[in-house]
Amino acid sequence: MKIKAFLLGVVLAGAAGLVATATSAQAATGCRVDYAITSSWQGGFGASVAVTNLGDAVTGWQLSWSFAAGQTVAQLWNGSVSQSGSQVTVANASYNGSIATGGTASFGFNGSWTSSNPVPSAFVLNGTACTGATATTTPTPTASSSPPATGLPCDLYAAGGTPCVAAHSTTRALLAAYTGALYQVRRSSDNTTRDIGVVSRGGAANASTQDAFCSGTSCVITIIYDQSGRGNNLGYQGPGGIGGADTAAGATRESVTVGGSKAYSLYINAGNSYWRNGSATGIPTGSAPEGMYMVTSGTHVNGGCCFDYGNSETTRRADGAGAMDAIYFGTSCWFGGCSGSGPWVQADLEYGLYPGGSRTWNPNQRAFTSRFVTATLKNNGTSRFAIKGSNAQSGALATLWDGSLPPGYSPMRKQGAIILGSGGDCCIDNTNISVGTFYEGAMVAGYPSDATENAVQAAVVAAGYK
């Protein structure tokens, strides 16, 4: 039976990440979403969605909504889709990310339904909920100006013109509008799995769900879900995961509090690691610019190669200088001549852990030994990269290096996989030998401004890790 197509119009105001031109003193933001059910049959339906930009021009968008009756997206065109439970996020394709004022970007999909198929009641664009009116903000956030002083990390990156293309955490949401799952656990008693979400929109992990599910048995973390909407979920590198020789990390090895709520870290021991081929789902490749950050720990480290988070080889082999662009944190002194014993924030660019722009020790390097550490890396892909670090509980980022790429690394040759907990040439037929702790992190498209990175650090401090 066909259901008559209908439209639902909504207007979105004040969207973080709706980036206006740098010459405008004020930025108008807003959009209209027209959601139409174009056909319906027993158990399935087709839909079209049009996003009309009512404000200043945007470059890159993500549209999110929740299905109220358990519907699922089966096939989507003119974008990429990620669904976790009822939460759906659609990101632009490479050819429809820019929407001029008054312009429209459209996509369509086929979905499934069971008892009913109601139209979503609300939409979220680039991290901001629909309000029903077009808004004007001042000043305009751009990649070269200061982003808002408040917000979660991926909201801040988007406001700075460098949107997250991968966002991972076991402790909290990294976008104010996020309501999906953060990670998945599997218990040993019956090998069943459970997604662990947030206690509220944009909030901390719901640790009580994990505690109840894992009571009386042991659990491991099998998947860390991508909050960016790109579908860049990380699976463990081992049998039952994405394949390889490693195992999943234990789910209860370390508990912390964030924002006053209990949460669990991803506590990597030797033999644990996670990976995803994101080359087709937004992770920068070749010499495209990118940035990243992670919150880790200065108290659970070693010199094994290599506790990394970032861009790595799709082959999971060491494919040459510039094939990687990842944050390293640990005590490895790859080229010798180091001062002190670390741990240090360095850049794993493949064929070396770089403390700065050469194989000689960078005198601006310093150790970060606090329980919670913020580490950042950005690379324009052709000439420049920067490494920064800080205590994640207080203080500003310290710039460890901001200058030229090492000889032989221009241009970069990134492949677009994501690594977490190991080096790039791991772990198909070998096991990870590094240790480290991961609380949260994200990768972004583009070269983040210093102002954006400072705002992200402030947001990490405000999270209140303890």
Side-chain angles (χ1 to χ4, degrees):
M1 178 180 69
K2 284 194 174 183
I3 299 176
K4 185 178 180 180
F6 57 95
L7 299 179
L8 176 67
V10 291
V11 179
L12 178 71
L18 299 191
V19 182
T21 60
T23 58
S24 175
Q26 292 185 325
T29 60
C31 80
R32 184 180 72 251
V33 177
D34 297 314
Y35 181 107
I37 296 177
T38 56
S39 60
S40 183
W41 58 93
Q42 185 61 42
F45 70 102
S48 65
V49 182
V51 182
T52 301
N53 178 26
L54 304 178
D56 293 327
V58 304
T59 55
W61 53 264
Q62 294 180 14
L63 184 71
S64 300
W65 69 87
S66 292
F67 280 130
Q71 305 101 308
T72 59
V73 176
Q75 180 185 31
L76 184 137
W77 49 93
N78 294 334
S80 59
V81 63
S82 174
Q83 182 167 356
S84 177
S86 63
Q87 182 74 14
V88 179
T89 301
V90 176
N92 62 271
S94 60
Y95 48 82
N96 64 357
S98 297
I99 315 177
T101 301
T104 299
S106 301
F107 61 90
F109 66 89
N110 292 327
S112 61
W113 60 279
T114 52
S115 59
S116 63
N117 187 23
V119 169
S121 60
F123 296 85
V124 172
L125 183 68
N126 288 355
T128 299
C130 301
T131 64
T134 303
T136 300
T137 61
T138 183
T140 303
T142 70
S144 60
S145 66
S146 297
T150 59
L152 296 183
C154 284
D155 300 318
L156 296 167
Y157 276 121
T162 50
C164 289
V165 292
H168 305 104
S169 178
T170 61
T171 62
R172 64 171 184 150
L174 301 180
L175 298 101
Y178 191 73
T179 60
L182 298 179
Y183 61 100
Q184 181 189 88
V185 295
R186 185 182 67 212
R187 63 187 179 195
S188 60
S189 58
D190 57 6
N191 283 325
T192 59
T193 61
R194 177 67 55 86
D195 285 349
I196 308 301
V198 291
V199 294
S200 61
R201 181 184 295 270
N206 193 339
S208 62
T209 301
Q210 176 179 315
D211 289 339
F213 181 71
C214 300
S215 178
T217 185
S218 62
C219 280
V220 294
I221 296 176
T222 49
I223 300 171
I224 304 99
Y225 290 110
D226 174 23
Q227 301 178 35
S228 78
R230 300 277 182 164
N232 288 312
N233 305 326
L234 297 171
Y236 71 93
Q237 297 195 89
I242 60 165
D246 272 356
T247 58
T252 57
R253 288 171 175 166
E254 182 194 47
S255 65
V256 299
T257 60
V258 56
S261 298
K262 178 183 178 181
Y264 289 99
S265 69
L266 181 67
Y267 197 83
I268 299 284
N269 282 329
N272 307 143
S273 64
Y274 295 78
W275 185 86
R276 154 82 181 185
N277 183 351
S279 60
T281 47
I283 303 303
T285 58
S287 61
E290 72 175 342
M292 63 199 74
Y293 88 99
M294 73 169 170
V295 178
T296 182
S297 176
T299 61
H300 178 227
V301 296
N302 73 357
C305 183
C306 301
F307 185 75
D308 290 346
Y309 176 65
N311 200 318
S312 186
E313 290 97 336
T314 57
T315 61
R316 290 193 269 178
R317 307 289 186 189
D319 287 338
M324 290 184 66
D325 184 25
I327 301 170
Y328 166 79
F329 188 71
T331 61
S332 178
C333 181
W334 191 266
F335 298 115
C338 304
S339 176
S341 57
W344 305 286
V345 182
Q346 300 181 73
D348 190 343
L349 306 180
E350 194 54 277
Y351 286 13
L353 303 177
Y354 283 87
S358 70
R359 296 188 175 192
T360 59
W361 184 245
N362 171 16
N364 290 326
Q365 270 287 348
R366 49 162 289 191
F368 294 94
T369 58
S370 57
R371 182 179 179 188
F372 302 101
V373 175
T374 306
T376 74
L377 174 66
K378 57 184 176 183
N379 189 325
N380 73 0
T382 57
S383 60
R384 177 186 177 192
F385 77 119
I387 310 168
K388 301 177 184 179
S390 180
N391 186 324
Q393 293 177 301
S394 64
L397 290 169
T399 299
L400 310 172
W401 176 262
D402 188 350
S404 61
L405 285 163
Y409 289 84
S410 178
M412 295 289 291
R413 304 168 184 86
K414 299 187 293 285
Q415 295 187 15
I418 308 169
I419 201 75
L420 174 54
S422 74
D425 53 347
C426 189
C427 304
I428 300 174
D429 49 17
N430 59 338
T431 57
N432 177 42
I433 61 173
S434 65
V435 306
T437 310
F438 182 85
Y439 303 103
E440 64 178 75
M443 300 172 64
V444 306
Y447 195 80
S449 68
D450 290 339
T452 296
E453 291 180 317
N454 291 339
V456 169
Q457 165 64 4
V460 168
V461 172
Y465 276 99
K466 294 181 180 178

